[in-house]
Each structure stands twice: as structure tokens, then as C-alpha cells.
Amino acid sequence: MSSDDKLIIETPEQTALEFPLAGIGSRSLALAIDTLLQIGVLIVLGIIAGIVAYAGVFPQFGKQWTYAILILAAFLSQFGYFAFFETIWNGRTPGKRWTRLRVITDSGRPLGAQGAILRNLMRIVDALPSLYAIGIITSLISAQNKRVGDYVAGTVVIHEKPAEGGRMIWDSPASQLLTAPQSRTLAPAELQLVEAFLERRPSLQEDVRRSMARQIADRVNQGLAGSPEATHEPEKFLEALAEQSRNVARFR
């Protein structure tokens, strides 16, 4: 569900995950950046085509094959650009990365290759009749700012919020985070809850992320030996605890 420009997902463990939805303005800015990059690629390819035509380079390869490759590259740069980057960059293009946006599924999970290809094939529809008119209208009437491609692929675009100083709080090695041995590893349901939070935290606002980390840490800490990290560094505590539980499961 969505509320006040946020996507709220209830996990099976009754924990709410909140994702701030991206509006038309920020999405348009990301699209403008990506479009400029695409135009830049076309200009480069045009220069190469001109060199082939007038300077007679690559004679042994044949101009026709050279032109065919350039045309294919131009086609891929226009129609494969978004799907390619959203697949390899986990829901982000260069424009979305610059504006701190990310595409995720309606369930809050990372975008896969199939979803990236499907949502971007529908750009042809969203762009009709011109200037993304259908996409803009659809986003305006959608509670989650979805264009046609988002509806077909089951995706939403969200804002990403960095940690303080632009550095992610979980950059520290997990092996340095727990100082006291735990009396047990996480139960499967607890580990699933912790991993769901760790997977989705880059997309959460800082205050929401901290509050959620503390709530989850307090919950799992009740069955442990009362580790002080759960209170002082809840995110680091959860990351290390998840790694510890995975390692134990791996060697069983």
C-alpha cells in the first residue's frame, strides 16, 4: 500500500518497510540525464560513420558491415540502454544513480533482468504520442506514480537516502561488529526478517532505517545473550548476526 508518497510493505513478521516514492519531477530529471547520455552516444556513432564514409577507413572489413554494426549500436543505445543499466546496476541507470533513484518491485525486492526488460519495452507505449505523454498522465493518476511500464512489470521507483556523510553505515567489516559470542543463531524466520531489512535498507530514509533496525535488533536480542551492540549499533549488530547465522548453517 502507499501513504503520503510512501510505499509501505508489511513483511510476514509484521514489520513495516517504508520506501519513499519518486515523483514525476525527480524521474523526469533522471530521464533527461539518461537522454543526454544517449544523444552523446549517437553523436559519437555519427562521427564514426562520417569517418568511415569520407576517410575510407576499415576497407578490408567493408563499409556495409561497418554501417550495420553502427546502426545496431545506435539501436541498442536507444532501446537497450535502460534495461541494460537497470539490470547490472540493480534498478538504476546513470540518470537514476545521479538523482538517487532506484527501481524495485512492488514487494520491495530488487529488480531482476526480466522486470527491467519488460518495464522498458513499454517505454514505446509510455512515450506516445510524444514527450512521454501517456507515461506522465499515468503517473499523475497513479497513487504510486507508476507509468505503464511499472504496471506491466510490477515495479515502483523510489528515492534512496544515503547515511550520514554519504557513507553507508554497514561498510565496516562484519567480523569486527560482534564482540561477545551469542548463545544461539537466528531462527529461520528471524534470519529472513533480518536479511529482508539488510537488503532493503539502502532504499530507506535515514530515520526510518534507524528506527526499524532498532526494533528488529531488540526483537532478536531477546533470545540472545543480551549483546550490547543491539542497543548501541543495531544495524551493525544485525549484519554481523546474519553473517554468523549463515556461516553456522553453511557448516552444518
Side-chain angles (χ1 to χ4, degrees):
M1 62 179 175
S2 61
S3 176
D4 297 326
D5 295 326
K6 291 182 180 179
L7 174 67
I8 303 175
I9 299 173
E10 293 286 345
T11 69
E13 295 79 16
Q14 304 301 313
T15 300
L17 300 178
E18 296 185 1
F19 301 90
L21 294 169
I24 292 179
S26 55
R27 293 180 66 169
S28 297
L29 177 58
L31 177 61
I33 294 172
D34 287 322
T35 300
L36 288 175
L37 291 175
Q38 288 178 297
I39 293 174
V41 171
L42 290 179
I43 292 174
V44 172
L45 292 176
I47 292 174
I48 295 175
I51 293 175
V52 172
Y54 296 104
V57 297
F58 310 129
Q60 72 282 4
F61 191 66
K63 288 185 178 181
Q64 291 183 341
W65 281 105
T66 303
Y67 289 143
I69 292 175
L70 291 175
I71 292 172
L72 177 61
F75 175 83
L76 292 177
S77 71
Q78 299 305 299
F79 293 96
Y81 172 94
F82 293 95
F84 173 75
F85 280 110
E86 286 180 1
T87 298
I88 66 171
W89 278 357
N90 193 17
R92 294 183 297 176
T93 61
K96 289 185 178 69
R97 193 169 185 173
W98 183 269
T99 54
R100 297 192 180 279
L101 302 182
R102 184 188 296 271
V103 183
I104 62 173
T105 67
D106 288 336
S107 62
R109 296 188 177 278
L111 179 68
Q114 181 177 352
I117 293 172
L118 186 58
R119 77 184 298 271
N120 286 295
L121 282 176
M122 298 306 297
R123 284 186 182 275
I124 299 175
V125 177
D126 283 308
L128 294 175
S130 64
L131 301 176
Y132 278 87
I134 289 181
I136 292 174
I137 294 173
T138 307
S139 298
L140 287 173
I141 63 178
S142 169
Q144 297 177 347
N145 303 327
K146 288 190 172 191
R147 61 178 179 84
V148 175
D150 291 314
Y151 278 110
V152 173
T155 57
V156 293
V157 182
I158 61 170
H159 286 283
E160 289 187 309
K161 298 296 182 181
E164 294 178 353
R167 178 178 180 273
M168 299 302 182
I169 193 171
W170 51 92
D171 284 344
S172 302
S175 60
Q176 300 177 6
L177 302 182
L178 286 182
T179 57
Q182 305 302 316
S183 59
R184 67 168 177 87
T185 57
L186 293 174
E190 293 173 329
L191 180 59
Q192 183 180 7
L193 171 62
V194 172
E195 289 188 326
F197 166 74
L198 295 177
E199 180 180 275
R200 295 163 181 167
R201 61 185 173 178
S203 305
L204 302 176
Q205 290 182 329
E206 184 177 348
D207 56 342
V208 174
R209 188 186 73 244
R210 288 181 175 177
S211 175
M212 190 175 298
R214 188 168 302 281
Q215 292 178 26
I216 298 174
D218 290 342
R219 172 174 174 172
V220 299
N221 195 39
Q222 292 176 358
L224 299 174
S227 175
E229 286 84 355
T231 301
H232 302 297
E233 297 288 350
E235 284 195 51
K236 295 181 179 181
F237 168 77
L238 293 175
E239 182 175 342
L241 190 55
E243 180 177 329
Q244 176 178 297
S245 296
R246 287 192 296 265
N247 290 336
V248 170
R250 188 180 299 120
F251 291 103
R252 280 179 179 173

